[in-house]
Amino acid sequence: MANSISGLSYVPNTPSSPWQVYLQQVDRVTPHLGHLARWVETLKRCKRVLAVDIPINRDDGTVAHFEGFRAQHNLSRGPGKGGVRFHPDVTIDEVMALSAWMTVKNAAVNLPYGGAKGGIRVDPRQLTRGELERLTRRYTSEIGLIIGPDKDIPAPDVNTNDQIMAWMMDTYSMNVGATATGVVTGKPIALGGSLGRREATGRGVYITARETARSLGFDIAGSRVVVQGFGNVGGIAARLFKAAGATVVGLQDVSGAVANDAGIDVDAALEHVASGGTLRDFKGVTPVSESEFWQIKSDIFVPAALENQLTETRASHIATRLVVEGANGPTTPAADDILHERGIVVVPDVIANAGGVTVSYFEWVQDFSSFFWTETEINDRLERILVEALKAVVHTAEKHKVSLRTAAFIIACTRVLAAREQRGLYP
Ligand code: NAD
């Protein structure tokens, strides 16, 4: 549970707090950084964190206040890039960790960005559409001091979507007096959004799973897949796995977990959820308990909901061969070790879910040149970047005899710290 100090929500530094998990991951990579290890403290702090008060008029005439944050972890390689999350559990600690993982992710895939992340501590389901718009616009205005097309470019994350990005783009544009399409990515196509962006993260999960499965000696076709989280990332990934011939045998969303050993009709489930339903009330599936869900037999398990889901206990019982992290930070370091001992391969978040930020990068480039690419061009480029990045990670893992996560961190942290060293310290 989050506590409150001086009005700001934070999580005490427990070993499982996302920021502490990230720090442990940095400790694991440090011995592999050679002379660049002298700069490692750079990675252990955020360059800048802005906390803002967001007052809005409620529809009932009252005024409500919300806490919002924007963290810029590292800008050595380019402007900040990272999503905005609307969730009741958002804390400074979480936003800082998510911004740091963006630094690592952007460098692991070699995008010319630093890492950033934002969020508002709110349950958006409790707001009307008008209230949500006012909240988004006031938040954008408050963080307008530090965002911009060449400073820091937000994008969608949990509970935010293309409509929220449209309001953010409009608010920022009104404040600077010019239409600035490049200030956010994940926008509607009509406002400079990119084809393929909505599907990009789920597609990246699918691509990295397919490549890793191949190297482990099995195909997606005929494999059994379980997905936790049935939103943008999990929903699209599940659809692509099914389309490639996999049987999706378990799904979970905020309403609970469901299973069907013969396979879930993913497209029908997506339609059901899009029209306001939940997985628990979807026909053709059996509701299962939390612990049953984590023990469904599968070849591929995709955590695509929130962080800290794959705990030690769950890692001891999970019955799968390959974990592909759609969510950011879903596996604790202790669980990582258990999975490693059990011979279960983990494709880490910083590669597995990098498809979203990669197509966000394409969107930003297209906005700057006002020249838009076809969906085939986008998907082909995404495929090439992710396959090459994954190959480099696998090669580094073999060379250093480390997990894929530590290998991705070695590649990314080396790039970030080399940039830090080449730029030198100001003044
Ligand atoms: P989303 O809001 O579209 O979907 C989240 C899903 O998780 C929903 O189905 C929700 O019901 C479910 N969920 C929430 N709490 C849960 C719980 N306690 N147990 C089980 N399910 C739960 O969000 P999204 O964009 O799909 O993001 C999911 C994860 O992927 C997050 O960790 C996010 O940071 C990460 N991610 C998203 C993107 C992107 O482009 N959207 C990119 C990279 C990483």
Side-chain angles (χ1 to χ4, degrees):
M1 267 303 282
N3 291 348
S4 196
I5 277 193
S6 312
L8 288 184
S9 297
Y10 86 116
V11 168
N13 282 341
T14 57
S16 63
S17 89
W19 179 250
Q20 290 301 317
V21 168
Y22 163 73
L23 290 181
Q24 291 172 59
Q25 292 168 344
V26 174
D27 285 340
R28 286 177 181 210
V29 77
T30 306
H32 303 282
L33 294 178
H35 80 282
L36 291 171
R38 74 181 277 257
W39 294 97
V40 83
E41 272 300 309
T42 302
L43 299 172
K44 291 190 167 185
R45 50 200 72 226
C46 282
K47 176 184 177 62
R48 187 179 286 136
V49 186
L50 181 62
V52 296
D53 171 41
I54 311 160
I56 62 160
N57 285 312
R58 299 292 302 253
D59 287 359
D60 64 6
T62 60
V63 175
H65 288 256
F66 298 90
E67 288 169 355
F69 308 102
R70 185 74 188 170
Q72 294 172 345
H73 173 255
N74 189 286
L75 306 180
S76 296
R77 302 179 68 255
K81 187 88 192 81
V84 172
R85 176 175 294 196
F86 289 180
H87 195 279
D89 295 337
V90 163
T91 59
I92 280 193
D93 177 293
E94 181 189 58
V95 172
M96 283 168 57
L98 290 165
S99 73
W101 283 320
M102 287 309 298
T103 299
V104 176
K105 189 182 306 180
N106 290 327
V109 225
N110 213 2
L111 303 178
Y113 289 133
K117 200 82 178 193
I120 304 179
R121 193 171 169 81
V122 60
D123 182 354
R125 290 174 305 184
Q126 309 297 322
L127 300 184
T128 64
R129 185 181 161 88
E131 290 167 343
L132 189 61
E133 178 173 353
R134 294 195 286 281
L135 180 81
T136 304
R137 288 186 181 279
R138 182 62 187 253
Y139 169 68
T140 309
S141 247
E142 294 293 343
I143 64 164
L145 293 169
I146 61 169
I147 63 168
D150 54 1
K151 287 169 143 182
D152 178 2
I153 305 110
D157 191 73
V158 175
N159 292 330
T160 54
N161 56 20
D162 58 349
Q163 177 60 72
I164 304 274
M165 294 305 118
W167 289 329
M168 289 189 75
M169 187 276 260
D170 183 69
T171 305
Y172 181 85
S173 298
M174 289 298 124
N175 285 344
V176 298
T179 296
T181 53
V183 67
V184 289
T185 58
K187 298 179 294 294
I189 304 290
L191 300 179
S194 177
L195 294 168
R197 171 61 186 93
R198 204 176 62 78
E199 298 81 9
T201 309
R203 184 175 294 280
V205 168
Y206 166 73
I207 292 170
T208 52
R210 184 196 64 206
E211 294 299 305
T212 313
R214 234 178 241 161
S215 71
L216 294 175
F218 70 97
D219 279 332
I220 298 289
S223 66
R224 290 164 60 91
V225 178
V226 173
V227 182
Q228 186 205 30
F230 199 55
N232 175 282
V233 181
I236 302 282
R239 201 184 77 205
L240 292 173
F241 281 118
K242 171 130 194 310
T247 308
V248 176
V249 290
L251 289 173
Q252 187 187 34
D253 70 3
V254 74
S255 72
V258 296
N260 182 342
D261 205 50
I264 298 169
D265 184 343
V266 175
D267 289 301
L270 282 169
E271 263 176 47
H272 172 76
V273 170
S275 58
T278 62
L279 282 175
R280 284 294 261 210
D281 55 41
F282 176 59
K283 290 197 174 59
V285 292
T286 312
V288 293
S289 71
E290 185 89 19
S291 68
E292 284 169 328
F293 174 74
W294 287 91
Q295 294 177 55
I296 297 174
K297 203 168 167 319
S298 67
D299 299 294
I300 302 172
F301 189 103
V302 180
L306 296 169
E307 53 270 16
N308 279 339
Q309 295 298 302
L310 195 33
T311 55
E312 278 171 85
T313 315
R314 289 170 178 170
S316 308
H317 297 126
I318 197 167
T320 196
R321 299 157 83 176
L322 175 59
V323 171
V324 186
E325 295 184 335
N328 287 307
T331 311
T332 66
D336 236 354
D337 291 340
I338 294 169
L339 294 172
H340 184 72
E341 278 160 27
R342 294 187 60 210
I344 298 169
V345 174
V346 179
V347 184
D349 48 6
V350 292
I351 287 291
N353 70 29
V357 71
T358 303
V359 176
S360 272
Y361 166 58
F362 297 163
E363 179 173 333
W364 184 70
V365 169
Q366 292 172 83
D367 285 339
F368 269 119
S369 56
S370 297
F371 179 72
F372 292 88
W373 313 343
T374 66
E375 193 157 359
T376 309
E377 283 171 317
I378 286 157
N379 288 344
D380 288 352
R381 284 175 168 145
L382 171 65
E383 167 101 21
R384 199 180 64 234
I385 287 179
L386 286 185
V387 170
E388 277 173 17
L390 182 63
K391 250 191 219 155
V393 169
V394 171
H395 175 74
T396 304
E398 285 166 0
K399 187 171 150 201
H400 291 265
K401 300 194 176 16
V402 293
S403 67
L404 296 181
R405 188 185 318 280
T406 300
F409 268 67
I410 291 174
I411 292 172
C413 296
T414 300
R415 284 183 178 144
V416 173
L417 297 183
R420 175 72 279 149
E421 185 172 69
Q422 282 158 358
R423 286 178 66 156
L425 284 183
Y426 171 85

